[in-house]
Amino acid sequence: MENAKKALVEAGSIHAEKYSPELVKQAEEYYDLAISNWRTQNEEWFFQRDFSRTKNFADLSEKAAREAIKEAIAHEANLSETLSSELTELRKKVKKSQFLFTSFPFNNDLKKNFTRGGMMLSEAELDYQKSDLLNCKTKLARAKNLIDESVKSAISILKNDFRNYNNWIALKDKTISWSKANGAYACLVDKYNRKCYVYKNGKLYSTYSVELGPNWVGPKRQSGDDRTPEGMYKVTKKKSGVHTRYYKALLINYPNEQDVEDLKNSQKKGILSKHAKSGGLIEIHGDGGKGFDWTNGCVALTNSDMDKIYSISYVGMPVNIVGSLTSLNEILSGL
Amino acid sequence: MKSLIAVPVLGLALFLSSCDKVPQVELDNANVAINEAKMAEADVYLPTQFAALEDSMRVVMADIEVQNSKWMKNFDGVRTKLSNLTSMATTVKANTEAKIEEIKNEYQTAFAEVQQMIVDNKALVEKAPKGKGGREALEQIKGDISVVEISAAEAQSLFDAGKYMDALNKINAAKTKSVELNTELVEAIAKTTKR
């Protein structure tokens, strides 16, 4: 009985009931049976007492308790190491993935799920610090699910958005070739990198930082979607002074034929309402330098940069706009 | 002859029956005290101390049977242990109540801090259009602030349901996130001011 008692106390001291609940319960039940049997035998006349069953139950209790201790020690050590590693990995993943949700205009629910995952991870980390490993394990699993699902959804959306990457690279090459063949200036806007490249005679002449519409990913579909269009355009008008409210502006021919056709196709497929319109008045203009994407779809430069580009531009100058000259693989390489 | 044998046998039986008895009152008191500690959730908030009570009760039960096994029973040692156990259980109950109060106070402090940081962070967002690489970053921060608000509300629900440890964990996680956001915003604004 003494041995069984010691084994149970030892099991309790390492919280074996958390890691081996069945064995601990068994040990306690055998111990209770031993006590009960002992009590019963003590009520018998001295010479009629038989403690063999008491001893048997006590032995079974000690055996179960010792097994519970062994299992709990192994399980806890293993769990602690596993959780430590998983917490570190998931925290690294959150840090690496954070940029996705600050660089691309995903919907609010997706972003919130990512944040919730991050906060659940913080709770799991607090549980680990308090050695509450089982709660840590539960919360870590929930955090991982939220974070993994958010990142997976984000990447899936980006893969769809970047399906035209090869076309974008081809358009860059076309811009440079055209500039070289015609000995003229041509513009190329890279939306992801927020850059406007000006080529002269096929060589890079200058580079300017730009700001776009807030919903900049993907081609412009309709009026009011705050998107900067993608495709091949030309300057149709130069504006300055009272003719523009943005310091200086270069109007481009959005929507072009492709944009009109895309709108019709989208309406036929039911993606856009039959009342949707392409919109217009997309320009390269000044008043940029705000540090964020604020336009209704136009390409904004600082006034000093606008002066430079305005000075070399002409009606008919190509303004080609692409989603990104950086591949999605490169963007996601840190993940 | 039979009467000569019967008298000493009867005397012996009488002698044996007058030996010490199991201290049932003390045993019941100890059980009540342990139960009260459990009702106060000592097993949740002070699991080690509560486990020690249960272990001590096991020791006492075994000691009772050791005495029951003897010809000459003496439960004085058991009585002392039961008295100590009752005292210990009362102390554990008081310690539990104190622990709960401590956790509740810690929670309420953290909750108030989080609420203030939510207000502060929302004000900072209005001042921080630059330096974050885009509107998406600010939108993300606004989204994060609203998640912190939801999390704080969930923490309060846990608190109201009496799940104080869970509530404290959740509000501390919300606080960590709020501090992170506050630091991000303050740094972004500082960069803008230096330009």
Side-chain angles (χ1 to χ4, degrees):
Chain A
M1 287 301 294
E2 192 62 32
N3 289 342
K5 195 178 19 162
K6 277 182 187 164
L8 277 169
V9 167
E10 205 180 311
S13 71
I14 62 163
H15 300 292
E17 73 282 359
K18 288 186 186 174
Y19 301 100
S20 308
E22 291 300 321
L23 278 170
V24 168
K25 189 178 167 191
Q26 201 178 73
E28 286 171 347
E29 281 171 359
Y30 278 134
Y31 188 86
D32 291 342
L33 282 168
I35 288 279
S36 171
N37 190 264
W38 194 1
R39 190 176 301 131
T40 305
Q41 292 308 312
N42 280 340
E43 286 165 5
E44 297 292 330
W45 284 103
F46 185 76
F47 49 85
Q48 283 183 314
R49 291 173 187 175
D50 177 6
F51 296 109
S52 57
R53 287 194 78 200
T54 305
K55 185 181 180 304
N56 194 40
F57 283 133
D59 286 343
L60 286 170
S61 173
E62 188 195 357
K63 190 179 170 194
R66 293 267 164 234
E67 271 175 40
I69 290 164
K70 203 168 146 188
E71 207 176 272
I73 290 171
H75 189 180
E76 192 185 11
N78 194 39
L79 186 60
S80 180
E81 202 180 310
T82 304
L83 286 175
S84 173
S85 167
E86 287 181 10
L87 284 168
T88 304
E89 284 310 305
L90 194 57
R91 183 50 76 188
K92 274 186 198 164
K93 184 169 185 174
V94 167
K95 283 190 175 148
K96 283 182 189 174
S97 311
Q98 184 75 37
F99 85 95
L100 284 175
F101 301 91
T102 55
S103 302
F104 295 96
F106 296 117
N107 73 57
N108 283 339
D109 284 344
L110 183 57
K111 292 181 188 180
K112 280 182 180 175
N113 278 343
F114 182 75
T115 301
R116 274 196 200 103
M119 287 176 65
M120 185 60 64
L121 176 58
S122 294
E123 285 184 53
E125 285 164 340
L126 286 168
D127 281 334
Y128 185 83
Q129 283 165 24
K130 291 176 191 170
S131 299
D132 188 351
L133 300 184
L134 293 175
N135 263 339
C136 171
K137 186 180 172 187
T138 306
K139 286 178 188 166
L140 178 58
R142 283 162 63 188
K144 190 168 190 300
N145 188 49
L146 280 166
I147 291 162
D148 284 350
E149 285 305 310
S150 305
V151 171
K152 194 172 149 190
S153 296
I155 291 174
S156 174
I157 291 168
L158 288 175
K159 278 184 176 168
N160 185 52
D161 289 335
F162 273 65
R163 68 190 185 282
N164 285 325
Y165 175 71
N166 290 339
N167 295 340
W168 298 336
I169 297 300
L171 189 51
K172 175 194 169 188
D173 294 338
K174 208 166 176 176
T175 307
I176 295 169
S177 302
W178 187 96
S179 168
K180 188 175 180 181
N182 291 273
Y185 291 104
C187 275
L188 178 73
V189 175
D190 174 353
K191 291 182 1 179
Y192 172 74
N193 288 298
R194 308 296 195 289
K195 295 290 181 200
C196 176
Y197 303 102
V198 175
Y199 294 92
K200 182 185 176 185
N201 298 330
K203 287 194 169 39
L204 183 63
Y205 174 77
S206 54
T207 305
Y208 306 107
S209 293
V210 302
E211 287 149 14
L212 308 170
N215 197 20
W216 60 270
V217 175
K220 187 168 184 64
R221 291 179 191 274
Q222 61 180 323
S223 171
D225 64 5
D226 286 343
R227 281 189 181 177
T228 300
E230 292 168 12
M232 295 171 65
Y233 303 97
K234 290 183 191 306
V235 173
T236 58
K237 200 171 184 179
K238 291 178 72 171
K239 300 176 180 179
S240 62
V242 297
H243 300 289
T244 178
R245 54 182 170 138
Y246 294 117
Y247 182 65
K248 286 177 183 171
L250 301 170
L251 181 67
I252 63 174
N253 63 327
Y254 171 86
N256 60 21
E257 282 177 21
Q258 186 63 57
D259 295 320
V260 170
E261 194 183 320
D262 288 345
L263 176 73
K264 281 182 187 158
N265 286 337
S266 294
Q267 284 170 325
K268 270 185 205 163
K269 288 177 188 171
I271 298 168
L272 292 175
S273 146
K274 57 184 179 183
H275 303 295
K277 303 236 185 291
S278 295
L281 292 176
I282 298 293
E283 301 171 334
I284 297 178
H285 63 58
D287 285 350
K290 295 183 197 307
F292 64 97
D293 296 316
W294 57 275
T295 74
N296 294 126
C298 294
V299 179
L301 281 73
T302 60
N303 288 352
S304 61
D305 287 344
M306 194 60 212
D307 280 335
K308 292 168 192 163
I309 206 171
Y310 194 85
S311 68
I312 53 95
S313 62
Y314 52 93
V315 172
M317 181 174 79
V319 174
N320 296 329
I321 306 175
V322 299
S324 173
L325 294 176
T326 307
S327 70
L328 187 59
N329 282 346
E330 204 178 319
I331 291 169
L332 299 179
S333 63
L335 288 181
Chain B
M1 189 61 182
K2 278 187 186 173
S3 61
L4 283 171
I5 297 167
V7 167
V9 168
L10 188 61
L12 184 62
L14 280 171
F15 174 72
L16 287 172
S17 69
S18 69
C19 282
D20 203 0
K21 289 185 170 47
V22 173
Q24 195 58 52
V25 170
E26 289 88 340
L27 187 56
D28 290 344
N29 287 345
N31 274 322
V32 164
I34 291 173
N35 205 41
E36 283 179 359
K38 186 156 186 188
M39 294 295 288
E41 295 188 274
D43 53 336
V44 173
Y45 292 95
L46 294 172
T48 305
Q49 288 184 31
F50 186 76
L53 290 178
E54 288 186 318
D55 290 338
S56 296
M57 181 52 95
R58 266 195 209 104
V59 167
V60 166
M61 296 308 286
D63 284 355
I64 287 173
E65 295 314 319
V66 165
Q67 292 304 316
N68 276 339
S69 309
K70 292 179 179 175
W71 284 103
M72 297 288 293
K73 299 175 183 48
N74 184 345
F75 289 101
D76 285 349
V78 170
R79 275 189 197 85
T80 304
K81 281 184 181 173
L82 283 169
S83 170
N84 291 341
L85 183 51
T86 305
S87 254
M88 206 164 96
T90 307
T91 303
V92 168
K93 182 188 167 194
N95 288 348
T96 304
E97 286 160 356
K99 180 76 181 173
I100 290 173
E101 273 315 295
E102 190 190 311
I103 289 169
K104 281 163 83 172
N105 289 339
E106 205 183 320
Y107 169 84
Q108 277 157 347
T109 303
F111 186 83
E113 284 171 356
V114 166
Q115 294 304 314
Q116 186 56 53
M117 275 195 277
I118 288 170
V119 168
D120 292 347
N121 286 343
K122 281 181 176 175
L124 286 173
V125 162
E126 295 309 313
K127 290 185 197 171
K130 302 185 181 79
K132 277 302 297 168
R135 187 163 152 168
E136 289 80 21
L138 280 177
E139 288 304 313
Q140 177 65 17
I141 289 176
K142 281 184 193 170
D144 288 355
I145 292 172
S146 81
V147 172
V148 167
E149 279 180 294
I150 292 167
S151 196
E154 286 170 355
Q156 188 60 42
S157 297
L158 286 167
F159 185 86
D160 293 340
K163 294 179 183 174
Y164 304 118
M165 279 305 310
D166 289 344
L168 182 62
N169 255 10
K170 199 167 253 301
I171 201 67
N172 277 340
K175 186 174 160 183
T176 302
K177 187 67 187 175
S178 296
V179 167
E180 233 176 73
L181 293 172
N182 188 268
T183 305
E184 240 180 286
L185 286 163
V186 164
E187 279 174 5
I189 291 168
K191 278 183 197 167
T192 309
T193 313
K194 278 179 188 164
R195 280 189 199 151

